[in-house]
Amino acid sequence: MKQFKPVVSESILFGELAEEHLEAILSIAVEKKTNGGELIFSEGDPADGFYMVARGQVKIYKLSPGGKEQILHLFGPGEPFGEVPVFSGGVFPATAEASKNSTLLFFPRKDFVNLVIENPYLALNMLAILSRRLRHFTVQVENLSLKEVPARLAGYFLLLSGEQNNTDRVTLHISKGQLASFLGTIPETLSRMLRKMSEQGLIAVEGRTIHIRDYDGLADLAEFGRLDNPDT
């Protein structure tokens, strides 16, 4: 497990642990390799532990009764997932799937709980992560239920701007197809929105880099309304 020490030691969950606690964490981790498209767990499966991405990418999603996929999260190296029910011993509330060939670290619930009892700092870290994700879900639910697609897209760019600490440009770490699913729309509509936002001078698209040309205009769109003639 020593080969995974860098990614674990720099993760948001374990990044500030003392050396001995970090070694303890690594000692309970189980390496799991997955292929792109492979399910890691399904909604309703018993949550017998949680995971961290060591290499690759994992998407978390739910399926509607009609089979439509709604992406909730996309996680990359150093990010934990499936940790919500780790203390309750409940079931996973969504499905996890490897977006590409990935290497995961699995932390068994029983062993991890014992470490938390010995080191309460871990619990504080998890509370911080869960609080941040709760805020993220609140924004996502509001966007999907109350706002049109242009406003959702503008809000997502502003969210990335804050996360990446850059008001001039943001980098998409997911495909446009995945972004469309995340926003609750289809790729064709997303492409039209990107084109219209570019025509109105709000953004400029360069591959996966989105240059923000009018931050205030983007914020107004995210907060108040729709694009002019968005051709939805």
Side-chain angles (χ1 to χ4, degrees):
M1 284 297 161
K2 288 189 176 181
Q3 70 269 31
F4 300 117
K5 186 173 182 179
V7 71
V8 173
S9 64
E10 295 172 8
S11 70
I12 55 177
L13 185 56
F14 303 130
E16 297 183 23
L17 291 181
E19 182 70 19
E20 62 270 23
H21 294 139
L22 190 60
E23 293 294 339
I25 287 293
L26 289 169
S27 72
I28 68 169
V30 178
E31 179 184 357
K32 295 191 176 185
K33 293 185 180 294
T34 58
N35 297 318
E38 182 178 343
L39 284 181
I40 300 162
F41 55 75
S42 296
E43 180 177 355
D45 285 350
D48 54 351
F50 72 98
Y51 296 80
M52 177 178 289
V53 182
R55 303 187 188 96
Q57 185 184 70
V58 170
K59 69 176 178 179
I60 309 295
Y61 66 91
K62 294 178 76 74
L63 291 176
S64 72
K68 181 181 178 182
E69 180 183 292
Q70 173 63 57
I71 294 178
L72 304 177
H73 282 296
L74 285 154
F75 295 123
E79 294 187 289
F81 64 96
E83 76 282 4
V84 173
V86 72
F87 292 114
S88 65
V91 298
F92 290 116
T95 298
E97 178 185 309
S99 301
K100 58 180 74 171
N101 293 349
S102 302
T103 301
L104 312 175
L105 298 179
F106 175 70
F107 301 93
R109 175 179 176 268
K110 181 178 179 181
D111 294 335
F112 185 75
V113 169
N114 288 335
L115 287 180
V116 168
I117 292 173
E118 299 172 3
N119 184 17
Y121 181 79
L122 286 174
L124 294 176
N125 273 15
M126 293 194 81
L127 284 174
I129 291 172
L130 295 179
S131 296
R132 186 171 64 193
R133 290 185 181 170
L134 179 59
R135 290 195 297 271
H136 171 87
F137 274 127
T138 300
V139 171
Q140 189 174 10
V141 168
E142 178 185 0
N143 285 341
L144 291 174
S145 60
L146 301 177
K147 295 183 178 181
E148 300 291 338
V149 175
R152 297 178 211 164
L153 181 57
Y156 181 74
F157 289 153
L158 294 176
L159 178 65
L160 286 185
S161 175
E163 291 179 349
Q164 298 178 15
N165 196 28
N166 194 329
T167 58
D168 295 325
R169 66 179 182 274
V170 296
T171 301
L172 298 177
H173 296 297
I174 58 178
S175 70
K176 290 179 181 176
Q178 290 171 327
L179 177 57
S181 176
F182 181 79
L183 296 174
T185 188
I186 59 176
E188 292 80 6
T189 298
L190 175 65
S191 294
R192 289 197 296 270
M193 296 305 101
L194 289 170
R195 184 175 63 252
K196 194 67 179 180
M197 291 169 72
S198 298
E199 291 172 354
Q200 295 191 1
L202 296 174
I203 63 171
V205 181
E206 184 182 357
R208 291 198 177 190
T209 298
I210 307 298
H211 299 274
I212 300 176
R213 301 302 191 199
D214 183 354
Y215 188 93
D216 291 339
L218 203 63
D220 285 343
L221 175 59
E223 181 68 21
F224 298 113
R226 302 176 60 181
L227 287 166
D228 296 332
N229 301 318
D231 187 30
T232 57

